[in-house]
Amino acid sequence: MREVSFIKQNKEKWLSFEQAIFNNDFKDPDELASQYIHLINDLAYAQTYYPKSKVIAYLNQLAAKAFQKIYKTKRENTNRFLDFWKTEVPLICYQYRKFIYIAFVIFFTFTFIGAISAANDGEFVRSILGDNYVNMSLENIEAGDPVAVYKSGSNWGSFIGITINNLRVGIIAFVLGVFGGVGTLYIMFKNCIMLGSFQYFFYEKGVFWESVRGIWIHGSMEIFAIVIECAAGLILGASILFPGTHSRYTSFKHGAKTGVKILISTFPFTFFAGFLEGFVTRYSNIMPHFLSVGIILITLGVISYYYLIYPFKVQKEVTRVPLLNPSSI
């Protein structure tokens, strides 16, 4: 069968199924599972006979949405909390992976701008971080402890205060996505410029490695989580600007729900980053190099795996034929 005929023959069925999934309009789980199996069969057919077709990507996304819906409607008792992080969030991250990639591109671009600005303007760092902070950092560098700022306050006080602040930044970055994503971009710009100029400041003073060992013990998870939260804000903004075949209000509700799930998924990483900053970073200048580097690589590896690699593994499981049948629901 020609691809055009294949699409024409099944288009109405797919659109009807997508609308039902989007609006949660199914009479019972058996109906959902039955249509899901038909969809998987169409996906397998397309992968076999039209391997370069864009219809494969569309059916993949539709299958992922259906898979999430099936897991939500299973009659047997399941650990909803575990399933949220194990299956639901990774599938969402796979479906919206382009937003995550875009968020990282924007992050690196803005951070680079901050570093270049600091390199070409001697007063730029002071204008961004403030005279008091820069003067304090200079005193710490002269004292041989560039990141001594992380030793201020108690362990618990630092942990709680830092965690609350990071959660606040992430939530604001997401919520401001309601302005078409512009608010989210502003939060990214503000924080990335600060990060880029801050790191260049230490580089200029010849203590870049010492700053990396200190800042990125907690920063690997902290900054990565903020980028993911900004991606959630961009998803929210895109749902308003590009509603597709749905009404703008319906698209907004879906975008908000999806974004909130991604936002919530970052909270454990933000809590752990706050714990590291409150209890571990303060000892970065006295701990062995292999330990500080090991913590940085492990924390970065864990969160990178969860958001960038694991979603592909879950999606691969989703597209296996058949994943579920009506009798198992």
Side-chain angles (χ1 to χ4, degrees), residues 36 60-72 83-97 100 258 261-262 306-307 310-319 323:
Y36 172 74
N60 255 320
Q61 291 186 4
L62 194 54
K65 292 178 183 178
F67 184 78
Q68 293 179 50
K69 194 70 66 176
I70 288 174
Y71 264 74
K72 287 180 183 178
D83 181 65
F84 175 76
W85 270 277
K86 184 180 178 181
T87 304
E88 189 171 355
V89 170
L91 285 176
I92 291 174
C93 289
Y94 178 86
Q95 182 181 349
Y96 293 93
R97 61 192 181 280
I100 295 177
T258 298
K261 289 178 180 179
I262 294 176
Y306 183 73
Y307 286 106
Y310 183 60
F312 284 87
K313 297 185 67 174
V314 177
Q315 174 67 17
K316 188 175 180 181
E317 291 294 322
V318 170
T319 55
L323 277 175

mmCIF file of all heavy atoms in Angstrom, residues 36 60-72 83-97 100 258 261-262 306-307 310-319 323:
data_model
loop_
_atom_site.group_PDB
_atom_site.id
_atom_site.type_symbol
_atom_site.label_atom_id
_atom_site.label_comp_id
_atom_site.label_asym_id
_atom_site.label_seq_id
_atom_site.Cartn_x
_atom_site.Cartn_y
_atom_site.Cartn_z
ATOM 1 N N TYR A 36 -5.546 1.190 21.395
ATOM 2 C CA TYR A 36 -4.093 1.311 21.545
ATOM 3 C C TYR A 36 -3.385 0.220 20.740
ATOM 4 O O TYR A 36 -2.382 0.477 20.059
ATOM 5 C CB TYR A 36 -3.726 1.212 23.026
ATOM 6 C CG TYR A 36 -2.242 1.125 23.293
ATOM 7 C CD1 TYR A 36 -1.418 2.243 23.156
ATOM 8 C CD2 TYR A 36 -1.658 -0.077 23.685
ATOM 9 C CE1 TYR A 36 -0.064 2.175 23.401
ATOM 10 C CE2 TYR A 36 -0.300 -0.152 23.933
ATOM 11 C CZ TYR A 36 0.498 0.977 23.794
ATOM 12 O OH TYR A 36 1.836 0.895 24.034
ATOM 13 N N ASN A 60 4.300 7.552 17.138
ATOM 14 C CA ASN A 60 5.091 7.326 18.347
ATOM 15 C C ASN A 60 4.582 8.182 19.487
ATOM 16 O O ASN A 60 4.398 7.708 20.621
ATOM 17 C CB ASN A 60 6.569 7.642 18.087
ATOM 18 C CG ASN A 60 7.403 6.378 17.963
ATOM 19 O OD1 ASN A 60 7.207 5.422 18.697
ATOM 20 N ND2 ASN A 60 8.329 6.380 17.024
ATOM 21 N N GLN A 61 4.361 9.458 19.231
ATOM 22 C CA GLN A 61 3.874 10.370 20.256
ATOM 23 C C GLN A 61 2.478 9.978 20.723
ATOM 24 O O GLN A 61 2.165 10.013 21.916
ATOM 25 C CB GLN A 61 3.862 11.799 19.720
ATOM 26 C CG GLN A 61 5.242 12.382 19.488
ATOM 27 C CD GLN A 61 5.188 13.847 19.096
ATOM 28 O OE1 GLN A 61 4.127 14.456 19.060
ATOM 29 N NE2 GLN A 61 6.336 14.414 18.781
ATOM 30 N N LEU A 62 1.651 9.590 19.778
ATOM 31 C CA LEU A 62 0.288 9.192 20.120
ATOM 32 C C LEU A 62 0.295 7.920 20.961
ATOM 33 O O LEU A 62 -0.466 7.783 21.928
ATOM 34 C CB LEU A 62 -0.524 8.979 18.837
ATOM 35 C CG LEU A 62 -2.046 8.874 18.981
ATOM 36 C CD1 LEU A 62 -2.593 10.080 19.721
ATOM 37 C CD2 LEU A 62 -2.690 8.766 17.604
ATOM 38 N N ALA A 63 1.184 6.992 20.627
ATOM 39 C CA ALA A 63 1.309 5.753 21.401
ATOM 40 C C ALA A 63 1.780 6.044 22.823
ATOM 41 O O ALA A 63 1.319 5.415 23.786
ATOM 42 C CB ALA A 63 2.277 4.801 20.710
ATOM 43 N N ALA A 64 2.697 6.994 22.965
ATOM 44 C CA ALA A 64 3.193 7.354 24.294
ATOM 45 C C ALA A 64 2.079 7.930 25.153
ATOM 46 O O ALA A 64 1.953 7.600 26.344
ATOM 47 C CB ALA A 64 4.341 8.355 24.166
ATOM 48 N N LYS A 65 1.252 8.798 24.552
ATOM 49 C CA LYS A 65 0.122 9.372 25.290
ATOM 50 C C LYS A 65 -0.851 8.276 25.727
ATOM 51 O O LYS A 65 -1.348 8.275 26.854
ATOM 52 C CB LYS A 65 -0.603 10.389 24.420
ATOM 53 C CG LYS A 65 0.190 11.649 24.130
ATOM 54 C CD LYS A 65 -0.603 12.573 23.213
ATOM 55 C CE LYS A 65 0.200 13.809 22.838
ATOM 56 N NZ LYS A 65 -0.549 14.697 21.909
ATOM 57 N N ALA A 66 -1.127 7.356 24.824
ATOM 58 C CA ALA A 66 -2.049 6.267 25.135
ATOM 59 C C ALA A 66 -1.479 5.372 26.228
ATOM 60 O O ALA A 66 -2.204 4.909 27.115
ATOM 61 C CB ALA A 66 -2.330 5.450 23.877
ATOM 62 N N PHE A 67 -0.179 5.121 26.177
ATOM 63 C CA PHE A 67 0.478 4.286 27.172
ATOM 64 C C PHE A 67 0.318 4.889 28.568
ATOM 65 O O PHE A 67 0.016 4.189 29.533
ATOM 66 C CB PHE A 67 1.957 4.140 26.819
ATOM 67 C CG PHE A 67 2.713 3.209 27.723
ATOM 68 C CD1 PHE A 67 2.598 1.840 27.574
ATOM 69 C CD2 PHE A 67 3.534 3.708 28.714
ATOM 70 C CE1 PHE A 67 3.296 0.976 28.402
ATOM 71 C CE2 PHE A 67 4.239 2.859 29.545
ATOM 72 C CZ PHE A 67 4.123 1.490 29.383
ATOM 73 N N GLN A 68 0.526 6.208 28.663
ATOM 74 C CA GLN A 68 0.339 6.885 29.948
ATOM 75 C C GLN A 68 -1.098 6.729 30.436
ATOM 76 O O GLN A 68 -1.352 6.476 31.611
ATOM 77 C CB GLN A 68 0.666 8.369 29.802
ATOM 78 C CG GLN A 68 2.120 8.665 29.519
ATOM 79 C CD GLN A 68 2.354 10.155 29.356
ATOM 80 O OE1 GLN A 68 1.942 10.954 30.181
ATOM 81 N NE2 GLN A 68 3.013 10.537 28.277
ATOM 82 N N LYS A 69 -2.053 6.889 29.521
ATOM 83 C CA LYS A 69 -3.456 6.805 29.891
ATOM 84 C C LYS A 69 -3.826 5.404 30.366
ATOM 85 O O LYS A 69 -4.579 5.233 31.323
ATOM 86 C CB LYS A 69 -4.321 7.198 28.691
ATOM 87 C CG LYS A 69 -5.763 7.475 29.029
ATOM 88 C CD LYS A 69 -5.913 8.750 29.828
ATOM 89 C CE LYS A 69 -5.521 9.958 29.020
ATOM 90 N NZ LYS A 69 -5.765 11.231 29.757
ATOM 91 N N ILE A 70 -3.270 4.393 29.724
ATOM 92 C CA ILE A 70 -3.542 3.016 30.112
ATOM 93 C C ILE A 70 -3.036 2.742 31.518
ATOM 94 O O ILE A 70 -3.714 2.137 32.342
ATOM 95 C CB ILE A 70 -2.918 2.030 29.101
ATOM 96 C CG1 ILE A 70 -3.714 2.060 27.796
ATOM 97 C CG2 ILE A 70 -2.887 0.617 29.659
ATOM 98 C CD1 ILE A 70 -3.102 1.237 26.691
ATOM 99 N N TYR A 71 -1.848 3.219 31.818
ATOM 100 C CA TYR A 71 -1.286 2.994 33.144
ATOM 101 C C TYR A 71 -2.099 3.694 34.216
ATOM 102 O O TYR A 71 -2.169 3.254 35.361
ATOM 103 C CB TYR A 71 0.169 3.453 33.186
ATOM 104 C CG TYR A 71 1.131 2.328 32.942
ATOM 105 C CD1 TYR A 71 1.302 1.804 31.660
ATOM 106 C CD2 TYR A 71 1.833 1.740 33.982
ATOM 107 C CE1 TYR A 71 2.173 0.761 31.426
ATOM 108 C CE2 TYR A 71 2.696 0.690 33.760
ATOM 109 C CZ TYR A 71 2.869 0.205 32.479
ATOM 110 O OH TYR A 71 3.716 -0.841 32.254
ATOM 111 N N LYS A 72 -2.712 4.825 33.861
ATOM 112 C CA LYS A 72 -3.528 5.542 34.827
ATOM 113 C C LYS A 72 -4.835 4.816 35.101
ATOM 114 O O LYS A 72 -5.441 4.963 36.156
ATOM 115 C CB LYS A 72 -3.856 6.940 34.301
ATOM 116 C CG LYS A 72 -2.676 7.891 34.322
ATOM 117 C CD LYS A 72 -3.125 9.231 33.790
ATOM 118 C CE LYS A 72 -1.957 10.204 33.725
ATOM 119 N NZ LYS A 72 -2.374 11.503 33.166
ATOM 120 N N ASP A 83 5.258 5.091 39.756
ATOM 121 C CA ASP A 83 4.990 5.100 38.323
ATOM 122 C C ASP A 83 5.153 6.492 37.718
ATOM 123 O O ASP A 83 5.542 6.634 36.562
ATOM 124 C CB ASP A 83 3.571 4.587 38.056
ATOM 125 C CG ASP A 83 3.249 4.541 36.575
ATOM 126 O OD1 ASP A 83 3.904 3.757 35.865
ATOM 127 O OD2 ASP A 83 2.348 5.269 36.145
ATOM 128 N N PHE A 84 4.876 7.518 38.537
ATOM 129 C CA PHE A 84 5.006 8.896 38.061
ATOM 130 C C PHE A 84 6.431 9.177 37.594
ATOM 131 O O PHE A 84 6.648 9.715 36.506
ATOM 132 C CB PHE A 84 4.613 9.868 39.178
ATOM 133 C CG PHE A 84 4.816 11.319 38.833
ATOM 134 C CD1 PHE A 84 3.929 11.977 37.995
ATOM 135 C CD2 PHE A 84 5.895 12.026 39.349
ATOM 136 C CE1 PHE A 84 4.118 13.317 37.671
ATOM 137 C CE2 PHE A 84 6.088 13.363 39.036
ATOM 138 C CZ PHE A 84 5.200 14.013 38.193
ATOM 139 N N TRP A 85 7.421 8.796 38.419
ATOM 140 C CA TRP A 85 8.817 9.057 38.057
ATOM 141 C C TRP A 85 9.396 7.979 37.145
ATOM 142 O O TRP A 85 10.279 8.262 36.345
ATOM 143 C CB TRP A 85 9.681 9.162 39.325
ATOM 144 C CG TRP A 85 9.770 10.570 39.846
ATOM 145 C CD1 TRP A 85 10.611 11.547 39.419
ATOM 146 C CD2 TRP A 85 8.966 11.169 40.868
ATOM 147 N NE1 TRP A 85 10.390 12.713 40.123
ATOM 148 C CE2 TRP A 85 9.401 12.515 41.014
ATOM 149 C CE3 TRP A 85 7.927 10.702 41.677
ATOM 150 C CZ2 TRP A 85 8.825 13.396 41.934
ATOM 151 C CZ3 TRP A 85 7.358 11.576 42.588
ATOM 152 C CH2 TRP A 85 7.799 12.899 42.711
ATOM 153 N N LYS A 86 8.871 6.768 37.263
ATOM 154 C CA LYS A 86 9.429 5.667 36.494
ATOM 155 C C LYS A 86 8.938 5.645 35.054
ATOM 156 O O LYS A 86 9.699 5.295 34.134
ATOM 157 C CB LYS A 86 9.077 4.341 37.175
ATOM 158 C CG LYS A 86 9.693 3.122 36.509
ATOM 159 C CD LYS A 86 9.300 1.851 37.246
ATOM 160 C CE LYS A 86 9.874 0.619 36.562
ATOM 161 N NZ LYS A 86 9.468 -0.640 37.259
ATOM 162 N N THR A 87 7.695 6.028 34.826
ATOM 163 C CA THR A 87 7.119 5.905 33.485
ATOM 164 C C THR A 87 6.556 7.207 32.929
ATOM 165 O O THR A 87 6.882 7.614 31.812
ATOM 166 C CB THR A 87 5.986 4.856 33.500
ATOM 167 O OG1 THR A 87 6.495 3.617 33.997
ATOM 168 C CG2 THR A 87 5.412 4.656 32.110
ATOM 169 N N GLU A 88 5.708 7.866 33.722
ATOM 170 C CA GLU A 88 4.969 9.008 33.192
ATOM 171 C C GLU A 88 5.882 10.176 32.815
ATOM 172 O O GLU A 88 5.807 10.701 31.696
ATOM 173 C CB GLU A 88 3.920 9.467 34.213
ATOM 174 C CG GLU A 88 2.958 10.497 33.660
ATOM 175 C CD GLU A 88 1.795 10.770 34.597
ATOM 176 O OE1 GLU A 88 1.695 10.082 35.637
ATOM 177 O OE2 GLU A 88 1.006 11.672 34.295
ATOM 178 N N VAL A 89 6.733 10.598 33.733
ATOM 179 C CA VAL A 89 7.615 11.736 33.451
ATOM 180 C C VAL A 89 8.591 11.438 32.308
ATOM 181 O O VAL A 89 8.762 12.273 31.402
ATOM 182 C CB VAL A 89 8.376 12.172 34.720
ATOM 183 C CG1 VAL A 89 9.467 13.186 34.378
ATOM 184 C CG2 VAL A 89 7.409 12.768 35.728
ATOM 185 N N PRO A 90 9.246 10.266 32.299
ATOM 186 C CA PRO A 90 10.142 9.977 31.159
ATOM 187 C C PRO A 90 9.441 10.016 29.807
ATOM 188 O O PRO A 90 10.020 10.500 28.826
ATOM 189 C CB PRO A 90 10.663 8.569 31.480
ATOM 190 C CG PRO A 90 10.610 8.485 32.967
ATOM 191 C CD PRO A 90 9.370 9.233 33.346
ATOM 192 N N LEU A 91 8.196 9.533 29.747
ATOM 193 C CA LEU A 91 7.465 9.584 28.481
ATOM 194 C C LEU A 91 7.159 11.027 28.081
ATOM 195 O O LEU A 91 7.220 11.387 26.900
ATOM 196 C CB LEU A 91 6.170 8.779 28.587
ATOM 197 C CG LEU A 91 6.324 7.258 28.547
ATOM 198 C CD1 LEU A 91 4.985 6.571 28.764
ATOM 199 C CD2 LEU A 91 6.923 6.809 27.215
ATOM 200 N N ILE A 92 6.828 11.847 29.066
ATOM 201 C CA ILE A 92 6.591 13.264 28.778
ATOM 202 C C ILE A 92 7.875 13.918 28.279
ATOM 203 O O ILE A 92 7.862 14.693 27.320
ATOM 204 C CB ILE A 92 6.070 13.987 30.042
ATOM 205 C CG1 ILE A 92 4.664 13.508 30.385
ATOM 206 C CG2 ILE A 92 6.072 15.499 29.829
ATOM 207 C CD1 ILE A 92 4.134 14.074 31.692
ATOM 208 N N CYS A 93 8.987 13.593 28.933
ATOM 209 C CA CYS A 93 10.272 14.174 28.533
ATOM 210 C C CYS A 93 10.662 13.729 27.123
ATOM 211 O O CYS A 93 11.262 14.506 26.368
ATOM 212 C CB CYS A 93 11.365 13.783 29.528
ATOM 213 S SG CYS A 93 11.209 14.605 31.129
ATOM 214 N N TYR A 94 10.322 12.500 26.777
ATOM 215 C CA TYR A 94 10.600 12.040 25.416
ATOM 216 C C TYR A 94 9.730 12.795 24.419
ATOM 217 O O TYR A 94 10.213 13.258 23.383
ATOM 218 C CB TYR A 94 10.335 10.540 25.295
ATOM 219 C CG TYR A 94 10.563 10.027 23.886
ATOM 220 C CD1 TYR A 94 11.833 9.640 23.463
ATOM 221 C CD2 TYR A 94 9.513 9.958 22.967
ATOM 222 C CE1 TYR A 94 12.057 9.199 22.165
ATOM 223 C CE2 TYR A 94 9.716 9.512 21.665
ATOM 224 C CZ TYR A 94 10.990 9.133 21.279
ATOM 225 O OH TYR A 94 11.207 8.711 19.990
ATOM 226 N N GLN A 95 8.470 12.925 24.734
ATOM 227 C CA GLN A 95 7.541 13.588 23.828
ATOM 228 C C GLN A 95 7.922 15.058 23.610
ATOM 229 O O GLN A 95 7.808 15.584 22.497
ATOM 230 C CB GLN A 95 6.117 13.501 24.388
ATOM 231 C CG GLN A 95 5.061 14.124 23.504
ATOM 232 C CD GLN A 95 3.677 14.025 24.127
ATOM 233 O OE1 GLN A 95 3.483 13.315 25.117
ATOM 234 N NE2 GLN A 95 2.728 14.740 23.579
ATOM 235 N N TYR A 96 8.390 15.712 24.676
ATOM 236 C CA TYR A 96 8.728 17.135 24.603
ATOM 237 C C TYR A 96 10.237 17.354 24.653
ATOM 238 O O TYR A 96 10.708 18.404 25.110
ATOM 239 C CB TYR A 96 8.048 17.888 25.750
ATOM 240 C CG TYR A 96 6.547 17.926 25.633
ATOM 241 C CD1 TYR A 96 5.756 16.959 26.246
ATOM 242 C CD2 TYR A 96 5.908 18.917 24.890
ATOM 243 C CE1 TYR A 96 4.377 16.977 26.135
ATOM 244 C CE2 TYR A 96 4.527 18.948 24.773
ATOM 245 C CZ TYR A 96 3.771 17.977 25.401
ATOM 246 O OH TYR A 96 2.394 18.007 25.281
ATOM 247 N N ARG A 97 10.994 16.379 24.177
ATOM 248 C CA ARG A 97 12.455 16.455 24.263
ATOM 249 C C ARG A 97 13.026 17.656 23.517
ATOM 250 O O ARG A 97 14.057 18.198 23.905
ATOM 251 C CB ARG A 97 13.095 15.159 23.751
ATOM 252 C CG ARG A 97 12.795 14.832 22.295
ATOM 253 C CD ARG A 97 13.226 13.404 21.979
ATOM 254 N NE ARG A 97 12.996 13.030 20.580
ATOM 255 C CZ ARG A 97 11.815 12.660 20.097
ATOM 256 N NH1 ARG A 97 10.753 12.618 20.895
ATOM 257 N NH2 ARG A 97 11.695 12.315 18.828
ATOM 258 N N ILE A 100 13.380 20.523 25.794
ATOM 259 C CA ILE A 100 14.521 20.365 26.698
ATOM 260 C C ILE A 100 15.810 20.723 25.972
ATOM 261 O O ILE A 100 16.670 21.429 26.511
ATOM 262 C CB ILE A 100 14.583 18.927 27.246
ATOM 263 C CG1 ILE A 100 13.357 18.651 28.128
ATOM 264 C CG2 ILE A 100 15.868 18.696 28.033
ATOM 265 C CD1 ILE A 100 13.284 17.229 28.675
ATOM 266 N N THR A 258 1.043 19.283 31.751
ATOM 267 C CA THR A 258 2.311 18.656 31.371
ATOM 268 C C THR A 258 3.483 19.359 32.043
ATOM 269 O O THR A 258 4.390 18.723 32.589
ATOM 270 C CB THR A 258 2.490 18.704 29.848
ATOM 271 O OG1 THR A 258 1.435 17.972 29.216
ATOM 272 C CG2 THR A 258 3.836 18.102 29.438
ATOM 273 N N LYS A 261 3.880 18.619 35.775
ATOM 274 C CA LYS A 261 4.469 17.293 36.022
ATOM 275 C C LYS A 261 5.985 17.335 35.881
ATOM 276 O O LYS A 261 6.708 16.748 36.691
ATOM 277 C CB LYS A 261 3.859 16.264 35.064
ATOM 278 C CG LYS A 261 2.406 15.927 35.370
ATOM 279 C CD LYS A 261 1.848 14.941 34.357
ATOM 280 C CE LYS A 261 0.397 14.612 34.684
ATOM 281 N NZ LYS A 261 -0.203 13.666 33.702
ATOM 282 N N ILE A 262 6.463 18.016 34.851
ATOM 283 C CA ILE A 262 7.906 18.140 34.669
ATOM 284 C C ILE A 262 8.508 18.942 35.817
ATOM 285 O O ILE A 262 9.568 18.590 36.352
ATOM 286 C CB ILE A 262 8.228 18.816 33.321
ATOM 287 C CG1 ILE A 262 7.782 17.912 32.162
ATOM 288 C CG2 ILE A 262 9.722 19.118 33.206
ATOM 289 C CD1 ILE A 262 7.981 18.535 30.794
ATOM 290 N N TYR A 306 18.528 10.627 33.691
ATOM 291 C CA TYR A 306 17.081 10.604 33.898
ATOM 292 C C TYR A 306 16.335 11.425 32.846
ATOM 293 O O TYR A 306 15.275 10.991 32.354
ATOM 294 C CB TYR A 306 16.732 11.129 35.289
ATOM 295 C CG TYR A 306 15.253 11.057 35.590
ATOM 296 C CD1 TYR A 306 14.642 9.834 35.855
ATOM 297 C CD2 TYR A 306 14.458 12.199 35.565
ATOM 298 C CE1 TYR A 306 13.273 9.752 36.101
ATOM 299 C CE2 TYR A 306 13.102 12.133 35.808
ATOM 300 C CZ TYR A 306 12.513 10.907 36.072
ATOM 301 O OH TYR A 306 11.162 10.827 36.313
ATOM 302 N N TYR A 307 16.846 12.589 32.494
ATOM 303 C CA TYR A 307 16.114 13.458 31.583
ATOM 304 C C TYR A 307 16.513 13.332 30.112
ATOM 305 O O TYR A 307 15.729 13.699 29.232
ATOM 306 C CB TYR A 307 16.274 14.924 32.016
ATOM 307 C CG TYR A 307 15.462 15.272 33.239
ATOM 308 C CD1 TYR A 307 16.075 15.444 34.475
ATOM 309 C CD2 TYR A 307 14.085 15.420 33.175
ATOM 310 C CE1 TYR A 307 15.337 15.759 35.605
ATOM 311 C CE2 TYR A 307 13.332 15.733 34.297
ATOM 312 C CZ TYR A 307 13.968 15.899 35.510
ATOM 313 O OH TYR A 307 13.234 16.205 36.631
ATOM 314 N N TYR A 310 17.187 8.055 29.789
ATOM 315 C CA TYR A 310 16.142 7.140 30.263
ATOM 316 C C TYR A 310 14.825 7.282 29.498
ATOM 317 O O TYR A 310 14.165 6.264 29.217
ATOM 318 C CB TYR A 310 15.930 7.357 31.758
ATOM 319 C CG TYR A 310 14.925 6.423 32.381
ATOM 320 C CD1 TYR A 310 15.118 5.045 32.361
ATOM 321 C CD2 TYR A 310 13.787 6.917 33.001
ATOM 322 C CE1 TYR A 310 14.192 4.187 32.938
ATOM 323 C CE2 TYR A 310 12.864 6.072 33.579
ATOM 324 C CZ TYR A 310 13.058 4.706 33.546
ATOM 325 O OH TYR A 310 12.139 3.865 34.120
ATOM 326 N N PRO A 311 14.385 8.505 29.124
ATOM 327 C CA PRO A 311 13.138 8.619 28.355
ATOM 328 C C PRO A 311 13.141 7.802 27.067
ATOM 329 O O PRO A 311 12.098 7.263 26.658
ATOM 330 C CB PRO A 311 13.063 10.125 28.051
ATOM 331 C CG PRO A 311 13.755 10.756 29.203
ATOM 332 C CD PRO A 311 14.900 9.827 29.507
ATOM 333 N N PHE A 312 14.302 7.665 26.412
ATOM 334 C CA PHE A 312 14.373 6.877 25.186
ATOM 335 C C PHE A 312 14.183 5.389 25.484
ATOM 336 O O PHE A 312 13.571 4.658 24.694
ATOM 337 C CB PHE A 312 15.721 7.099 24.493
ATOM 338 C CG PHE A 312 15.818 8.412 23.776
ATOM 339 C CD1 PHE A 312 16.221 9.557 24.442
ATOM 340 C CD2 PHE A 312 15.485 8.498 22.437
ATOM 341 C CE1 PHE A 312 16.307 10.773 23.785
ATOM 342 C CE2 PHE A 312 15.569 9.714 21.764
ATOM 343 C CZ PHE A 312 15.971 10.853 22.444
ATOM 344 N N LYS A 313 14.690 4.936 26.628
ATOM 345 C CA LYS A 313 14.520 3.536 27.005
ATOM 346 C C LYS A 313 13.056 3.232 27.309
ATOM 347 O O LYS A 313 12.529 2.190 26.907
ATOM 348 C CB LYS A 313 15.383 3.226 28.226
ATOM 349 C CG LYS A 313 16.884 3.372 27.984
ATOM 350 C CD LYS A 313 17.700 2.941 29.181
ATOM 351 C CE LYS A 313 17.581 1.442 29.421
ATOM 352 N NZ LYS A 313 18.475 0.973 30.506
ATOM 353 N N VAL A 314 12.388 4.158 28.006
ATOM 354 C CA VAL A 314 10.968 3.959 28.312
ATOM 355 C C VAL A 314 10.141 4.000 27.038
ATOM 356 O O VAL A 314 9.238 3.177 26.843
ATOM 357 C CB VAL A 314 10.477 5.036 29.304
ATOM 358 C CG1 VAL A 314 8.974 4.880 29.556
ATOM 359 C CG2 VAL A 314 11.234 4.936 30.622
ATOM 360 N N GLN A 315 10.441 4.937 26.156
ATOM 361 C CA GLN A 315 9.715 5.026 24.883
ATOM 362 C C GLN A 315 9.885 3.760 24.058
ATOM 363 O O GLN A 315 8.947 3.298 23.403
ATOM 364 C CB GLN A 315 10.208 6.250 24.096
ATOM 365 C CG GLN A 315 9.638 6.366 22.691
ATOM 366 C CD GLN A 315 8.153 6.633 22.687
ATOM 367 O OE1 GLN A 315 7.594 7.038 23.701
ATOM 368 N NE2 GLN A 315 7.501 6.417 21.555
ATOM 369 N N LYS A 316 11.080 3.182 24.096
ATOM 370 C CA LYS A 316 11.333 1.945 23.360
ATOM 371 C C LYS A 316 10.445 0.822 23.881
ATOM 372 O O LYS A 316 9.943 -0.004 23.108
ATOM 373 C CB LYS A 316 12.804 1.561 23.492
ATOM 374 C CG LYS A 316 13.222 0.393 22.610
ATOM 375 C CD LYS A 316 14.719 0.144 22.707
ATOM 376 C CE LYS A 316 15.146 -1.019 21.823
ATOM 377 N NZ LYS A 316 16.611 -1.275 21.926
ATOM 378 N N GLU A 317 10.245 0.789 25.203
ATOM 379 C CA GLU A 317 9.367 -0.218 25.790
ATOM 380 C C GLU A 317 7.924 -0.001 25.347
ATOM 381 O O GLU A 317 7.176 -0.947 25.108
ATOM 382 C CB GLU A 317 9.448 -0.152 27.320
ATOM 383 C CG GLU A 317 10.782 -0.601 27.898
ATOM 384 C CD GLU A 317 11.042 -2.073 27.651
ATOM 385 O OE1 GLU A 317 10.078 -2.856 27.720
ATOM 386 O OE2 GLU A 317 12.195 -2.436 27.376
ATOM 387 N N VAL A 318 7.545 1.275 25.226
ATOM 388 C CA VAL A 318 6.175 1.613 24.844
ATOM 389 C C VAL A 318 5.844 1.093 23.455
ATOM 390 O O VAL A 318 4.734 0.615 23.197
ATOM 391 C CB VAL A 318 5.976 3.145 24.902
ATOM 392 C CG1 VAL A 318 4.648 3.542 24.271
ATOM 393 C CG2 VAL A 318 6.030 3.621 26.333
ATOM 394 N N THR A 319 6.799 1.186 22.556
ATOM 395 C CA THR A 319 6.519 0.855 21.154
ATOM 396 C C THR A 319 6.701 -0.626 20.832
ATOM 397 O O THR A 319 6.616 -1.009 19.676
ATOM 398 C CB THR A 319 7.434 1.676 20.232
ATOM 399 O OG1 THR A 319 8.809 1.472 20.604
ATOM 400 C CG2 THR A 319 7.103 3.150 20.335
ATOM 401 N N LEU A 323 2.279 -4.209 23.981
ATOM 402 C CA LEU A 323 2.674 -3.931 25.357
ATOM 403 C C LEU A 323 1.615 -4.444 26.333
ATOM 404 O O LEU A 323 1.914 -5.030 27.348
ATOM 405 C CB LEU A 323 2.852 -2.433 25.558
ATOM 406 C CG LEU A 323 4.207 -1.868 25.140
ATOM 407 C CD1 LEU A 323 4.177 -0.353 25.284
ATOM 408 C CD2 LEU A 323 5.318 -2.444 25.968
#
